[in-house]
Amino acid sequence: MIPCVPKTDLPLLYQTPDSWAAAALQEPLALLNDHAHLEKKAAGNALDLLNQWPDPVAPENWVERMTAIARDEVEHLAVVTRLLSRRGGKLTKHHRNDYATGLRRHVRVGQGPRELLDRLMVSALIEARSCERFEILARTCEDRELSKLYSGLWASENGHYRVFLDLARNLPLRGAAGRIEARWEEWLAIEARTIESQSPGPRMHSGVAARSMAC
Ligand SMILES: [Fe+2]
Ligand SMILES: [Fe+2]
């Protein structure tokens, strides 16, 4: 029996069809390589945010939560690279993620607390999208080892999504709550447009081929 994870209650505005997974899994080593790089970048992002707390003092548990996420991501990286290597693959030296790059274009760089709010929301969205993709892969992948990998990672990424969003929602911004929720709604729309416009391929954040969309 293929392991399964709960259907998510993610707020994402674009729902990935199951046909995405079959296309992405056509090159499992390439998908694992892309996945490994994403785990590395997620670890780096958490470490980078570790001391980027809002002035004047770090909110309670900020450092601990970033540290915990970075540790989780490094553990995921180890698991994925081990599997990649065991299956005869190699981690590539270079990697690009047009989806994340596309999201970051909308970060209000240089605008102090607004930049931090955006960075936390982008982090939450990347985690949420990865979580959605893991759920589909875990449910549809017929390779039991891969299916187990994806179902095992699902809960962790779901937890990370919630931590980043919680930190964003609790930032001490002036006029806060309404503005923060309005920005989250904007980000959800940006994310949906961005993921939908990606090209298809063996990547965690790839788009859906026109042929698959018709299925
Ligand atoms: Fe991860
Ligand atoms: Fe994560």
Side-chain angles (χ1 to χ4, degrees):
M1 190 178 142
I2 294 169
C4 69
V5 294
K7 267 288 198 185
T8 64
D9 56 351
L10 299 168
L12 299 170
L13 298 182
Y14 170 81
Q15 192 180 349
T16 303
D18 287 357
S19 56
W20 164 83
L25 282 163
Q26 281 180 8
E27 295 178 59
L29 292 183
L31 185 61
L32 283 169
N33 175 66
D34 175 75
H35 182 176
H37 278 285
L38 297 184
E39 299 291 4
K40 172 181 172 284
K41 287 177 180 177
N45 181 59
L47 289 177
D48 197 46
L49 285 168
L50 183 75
N51 57 343
Q52 301 290 323
W53 60 75
D55 291 329
V57 289
E60 197 182 349
N61 294 328
W62 179 284
V63 172
E64 290 80 358
R65 294 170 103 181
M66 291 300 176
T67 306
I69 291 176
R71 183 202 56 214
D72 287 350
E73 306 296 17
V74 170
E75 281 175 9
H76 300 167
L77 174 63
V79 169
V80 176
T81 51
R82 209 160 38 230
L83 187 53
L84 176 65
S85 168
R86 190 149 48 74
R87 289 186 171 217
K90 272 194 167 39
L91 188 73
T92 56
K93 191 155 190 177
H94 302 289
H95 174 259
R96 53 185 267 194
N97 182 351
D98 292 343
Y99 162 74
T101 304
L103 290 180
R104 294 204 173 97
R105 264 189 216 117
H106 297 271
V107 171
R108 294 169 293 184
V109 177
Q111 296 189 39
R114 290 177 171 183
E115 178 178 352
L116 180 58
L117 178 71
D118 285 352
R119 288 189 64 187
L120 290 169
M121 288 186 172
V122 167
S123 302
L125 285 165
I126 294 174
E127 296 283 358
R129 184 58 67 186
S130 300
C131 181
E132 186 225 26
R133 297 276 165 110
F134 286 146
E135 189 277 329
I136 298 171
L137 287 165
R139 183 162 43 76
T140 63
C141 180
E142 290 178 5
D143 180 320
R144 286 184 54 82
E145 188 175 41
L146 288 181
S147 180
K148 199 171 157 200
L149 167 75
Y150 298 129
S151 66
L153 292 177
W154 177 90
S156 177
E157 309 304 4
N158 192 273
H160 297 166
Y161 147 65
R162 289 170 195 284
V163 168
F164 282 123
L165 187 56
D166 185 58
L167 290 172
R169 282 184 163 146
N170 286 293
L171 282 181
L173 297 183
R174 214 173 302 148
R179 278 175 47 207
I180 290 176
E181 288 312 308
R183 186 60 177 158
W184 179 237
E185 294 299 322
E186 288 172 8
W187 269 116
L188 287 169
I190 291 168
E191 196 278 339
R193 285 200 304 274
T194 307
I195 193 72
E196 208 170 355
S197 67
Q198 297 305 303
S199 61
R203 308 183 311 280
M204 278 297 161
H205 300 137
S206 60
V208 177
R211 189 164 39 85
S212 317
M213 285 170 79
C215 293

